[in-house]
Amino acid sequence: MLMDPALGRVIERCRDGDRDAFEEVVDRYGLQLLRTARLILRDQALAEDAIQETFVKAWQRIGSLREEDPGPWLTRIAMNESISSYRRRHRFQALTERFGRLGGGKHEVSSEARLDLAHALDQLHPDQRAAVALHYYQDLSVEETARALKVPVDTMKSRLKTALRRLRQLTGSEEITP
Amino acid sequence: MSDKFEKNLRDHLHHEAEEIREFPRQLRGRIREGITPRARPRMAPQLALAGALVLVAFAVLVARNPQVIIKDVPSAIKQILQPSPTPTPQPFTCADRSGGTSGLAAQLTAIRTAHHAETPGFDRIVFDFSDGIPSYDLTRQVTSAFVKDASGQPVTLDGSAGIKLVFRNASVQGVADDQKPRLTAVREIAQLGNFEGVLSYGVGLSSSQCVRVLELTGPSRLVVDVTTSASASTSPAPTPLPTTPSATDLTPFACQDLAGGSSNGPAMRLTQVRVAHQAAGYDRIVFEFAAPAGVTPYLPTYTVSRQASAKFVKDPSGQDVTLRGSSGLRIALHGASGADSYTGSRDITPGLPVLQELEQLGDFEAVLSWGAGLGRPSCIRTLELSNPTRLVVDIQTP
């Protein structure tokens, strides 16, 4: 996607080291990126840290942004930061989850333990939540979501399908059979 | 495949996301800090060494020639402490200005005003700072109406035009929130905000005038001179104040239905639909088209109709559809289709300041229509762009 001319001028000023121009970029994309990061990380403070890191990295790499819309570029950085942040801070939790799976096999969700969507989203793997957030919140196509998360399109299709199945299972929603 | 569960999921995600109503100011400050270069601590030992060498050299000099203390040092000190002379007057310009030192934290200690009668006549506002001049933006505006930071409350100052000054990393002490010097040009100066290190002031002017800005040291002060006569502002030739929110040559917003484009030719192929908020004060929708092979590109005839609800009728099914928001726009293009060319989402919920949802209403017999759900009734403008062919619909935001 090409940049619109006004935005192109702002990016040019950023490349020249104009920090005020970069604040225009923050104003334009910051809120949606923060909301998306919050959906993935499930924590406001972590999301803010991830977005701060996103924009600082974007500033450092602004020279690498060519004649493309900065939106997808910033989204890629933000997704990377969000998922990395989650992994860094939840290593221990991830380990316990892995041992839990090895010992107990796949969890079955009883009808009494059905969760609402917010809690069900908490249970997803961050990669799945990122896919769900981009596809269903940012309304990116499957192809765009795959690009943002740097995975093949088929992998993304499968990831979305798995995430959706898991959410249905956790919330007790009936799955539509094709 | 889209079913009720997916719709619920989408709604839930939007609801959850919109719990964050605005981008936190303190996060903006953290980002600003993160991109501002810092002084290297490694320099400290080097500076100490340099200082020590200077002291040794000075001691040697004094031991050899004590007269230097009596004669030269007082004059040197006087020279250092003397306020910097006012530089050669610069011309007045009719443009916004930015300056100061990024990342520098400073305290505003006084705001002084005075009228200078010499030719060209001008009113001077002096902002005194304790530790250098922080990063600032000066923006001229055609009214004396401002919006207070944080509260969002409107405030109208004395006069018919204005200047807004925003200082970053700045605090204030002992300065009145509202001054009414009632000079020829400068009528009132009021604090608009002081929050999270962003300090802003509005200046009410008797009429739209050009300005010059001087950054002076010893003590640190930012001087804003406002011309009091039209003749004073002719060097260089004044440029008119912007009447539209963007720096580009844009048509003004209109609170009415709009139409344009040109008829004739095979249907143009919709390839992309983009939405974004522009900091200049509008949400933008872009419909991008490609011409079929062998056809000269053209923008199809279009109408943009405003309506008082976000309820639309789908074409050709006749089904009702209610989008997010309380009012709407119906954008209809005659001689366009996206059936074989558009692969993006046909129901976009960007959650922009005004544009809440954009959904395709119909694509039938080369009539392509989209509905936009708006959070409030808004004025609009359209732009017709080429290479590639685009219809741009801008929706004014508060």
Side-chain angles (χ1 to χ4, degrees):
Chain A
M1 193 183 292
L2 289 173
M3 244 187 276
D4 78 57
L7 182 57
R9 282 192 289 276
V10 172
I11 297 297
E12 274 305 317
R13 285 167 55 205
C14 292
R15 285 199 191 104
D16 292 339
D18 185 339
R19 291 178 180 79
D20 294 335
F22 191 70
E23 284 199 355
E24 290 183 36
V25 176
V26 175
D27 285 342
R28 181 175 171 134
Y29 296 100
L31 181 57
Q32 194 178 37
L33 289 177
L34 178 64
R35 286 171 165 177
T36 309
R38 169 71 181 74
L39 288 175
I40 296 166
L41 289 164
R42 324 299 292 160
D43 182 286
Q44 177 79 15
L46 289 183
E48 290 188 10
D49 287 349
I51 294 309
Q52 179 186 353
E53 201 55 35
T54 296
F55 279 112
V56 171
K57 283 191 175 164
W59 170 256
Q60 290 162 350
R61 301 173 190 168
I62 196 82
S64 68
L65 180 63
R66 300 296 167 204
E67 297 301 313
E68 57 173 321
D69 189 309
W73 180 69
L74 286 167
T75 301
R76 281 197 295 275
I77 302 174
M79 292 306 97
N80 197 33
E81 282 305 316
S82 299
I83 292 169
S84 301
S85 163
Y86 187 92
R87 286 179 179 153
R88 276 196 303 273
R89 289 164 194 270
H90 291 78
R91 267 183 199 140
F92 179 75
Q93 190 182 328
L95 273 174
T96 55
E97 279 175 3
R98 190 178 302 166
F99 284 123
R101 276 202 298 276
L102 286 171
K106 203 171 183 178
H107 285 291
E108 292 300 327
V109 180
S110 71
S111 56
E112 290 80 14
R114 283 173 185 164
L115 305 166
D116 65 21
L117 265 172
H119 289 143
L121 284 162
D122 290 345
Q123 308 302 311
L124 291 186
H125 190 277
D127 288 336
Q128 292 174 330
R129 271 204 301 272
V132 167
L134 292 181
H135 187 59
Y136 289 101
Y137 167 62
Q138 283 209 8
D139 279 310
L140 299 190
S141 67
V142 175
E143 290 76 14
E144 289 166 333
T145 306
R147 268 200 297 278
L149 295 174
K150 295 178 189 165
V151 296
V153 173
D154 286 342
T155 305
M156 183 48 60
K157 282 180 184 168
S158 162
R159 187 175 294 177
L160 281 168
K161 196 174 170 185
T162 307
L164 218 55
R165 190 188 305 129
R166 180 87 176 121
L167 288 173
R168 285 182 202 277
Q169 187 188 27
L170 288 166
T171 55
S173 303
E174 294 301 318
E175 187 156 5
I176 292 172
T177 47
Chain B
M1 183 180 69
S2 180
D3 61 20
K4 193 180 171 189
F5 181 78
E6 287 178 86
K7 187 175 186 320
N8 286 345
L9 174 61
R10 188 172 273 119
D11 288 347
H12 172 84
L13 290 170
H14 277 274
H15 181 76
E16 200 175 296
E18 283 156 21
E19 283 173 9
I20 306 175
R21 291 180 169 273
E22 59 182 19
F23 196 73
R25 277 169 178 265
Q26 43 84 11
L27 178 54
R28 184 176 284 116
R30 281 163 54 190
I31 293 168
R32 178 98 193 175
E33 205 174 302
I35 65 172
T36 302
R38 295 161 195 272
R40 293 180 191 169
R42 278 180 297 172
M43 289 299 288
Q46 293 164 18
L47 286 173
L49 180 62
L53 287 172
V54 167
L55 282 175
V56 169
F58 184 72
V60 169
L61 185 66
V62 168
R64 288 186 178 177
N65 186 6
Q67 286 296 326
V68 75
I69 298 281
I70 301 158
K71 276 184 173 178
D72 300 339
V73 171
S75 62
I77 291 171
K78 192 177 169 190
Q79 204 172 1
I80 290 166
L81 294 180
Q82 205 170 32
S84 62
T86 302
T88 308
Q90 299 169 1
F92 287 86
T93 58
C94 304
D96 297 343
R97 282 286 301 267
S98 294
T101 307
S102 285
L104 174 78
Q107 187 175 65
L108 179 68
T109 55
I111 299 176
R112 297 174 282 124
T113 56
H115 175 68
H116 289 248
E118 66 263 33
T119 307
F122 58 90
D123 288 348
R124 170 164 285 185
I125 314 169
V126 181
F127 295 87
D128 284 321
F129 285 95
S130 58
D131 309 297
I133 300 171
S135 165
Y136 68 86
D137 290 325
L138 179 152
T139 315
R140 300 166 69 237
Q141 59 179 56
V142 289
T143 74
S144 60
F146 297 87
V147 176
K148 286 205 163 193
D149 289 349
S151 72
Q153 280 188 321
V155 56
T156 301
L157 305 186
D158 188 8
S160 61
I163 294 170
K164 184 174 180 182
L165 270 150
V166 178
F167 300 102
R168 295 185 192 82
N169 285 330
S171 57
V172 58
Q173 188 165 25
V175 178
D177 286 349
D178 194 354
Q179 300 183 28
K180 294 181 178 169
R182 301 202 191 287
L183 304 177
T184 311
V186 176
R187 307 294 296 168
E188 186 174 0
I189 304 167
Q191 189 188 98
L192 300 175
N194 179 18
F195 185 66
E196 298 282 1
V198 178
L199 180 64
S200 56
Y201 284 89
V203 180
L205 303 178
S206 55
S207 62
S208 178
Q209 292 289 1
C210 300
V211 297
R212 76 176 166 207
V213 179
L214 307 169
E215 294 180 17
L216 305 178
T217 55
S220 302
R221 56 207 195 279
L222 180 73
V223 175
V224 179
D225 289 341
V226 184
T227 57
T228 52
S229 60
S231 59
S233 61
T234 54
S235 179
T239 52
L241 280 171
T243 53
T244 57
S246 171
T248 53
D249 295 332
L250 300 174
T251 54
F253 285 93
C255 302
Q256 62 186 43
D257 296 347
L258 299 173
S262 55
S263 54
N264 296 330
M268 289 288 282
R269 295 154 57 86
L270 179 72
T271 55
Q272 284 193 35
V273 178
R274 298 188 291 273
V275 295
H277 175 64
Q278 306 280 337
Y282 52 93
D283 291 343
R284 170 165 284 184
I285 309 170
V286 180
F287 297 96
E288 189 171 311
F289 299 91
V295 173
T296 306
Y298 71 99
L299 185 65
T301 309
Y302 67 87
T303 55
V304 183
S305 314
R306 300 164 74 235
Q307 59 180 54
S309 82
K311 191 173 176 181
F312 297 88
V313 177
K314 283 209 164 193
D315 173 32
S317 69
Q319 278 187 320
D320 284 343
V321 57
T322 302
L323 305 186
R324 291 163 192 262
S326 56
S327 71
L329 296 177
R330 186 183 186 96
I331 302 142
L333 294 127
H334 297 264
S337 172
D340 301 324
S341 54
Y342 178 67
T343 55
S345 173
R346 288 179 164 80
D347 184 6
I348 302 166
T349 46
L352 300 183
V354 172
L355 179 63
Q356 304 287 302
E357 188 169 2
L358 183 67
E359 184 172 337
Q360 183 178 295
L361 301 175
D363 187 356
F364 186 66
E365 298 284 3
V367 177
L368 178 65
S369 55
W370 286 68
L374 309 182
R376 51 181 287 162
S378 300
C379 302
I380 53 174
R381 70 174 168 216
T382 57
L383 301 169
E384 300 176 9
L385 305 174
S386 53
N387 300 317
T389 305
R390 283 157 293 164
L391 170 63
V392 176
V393 181
D394 286 342
I395 305 155
Q396 198 167 27
T397 57

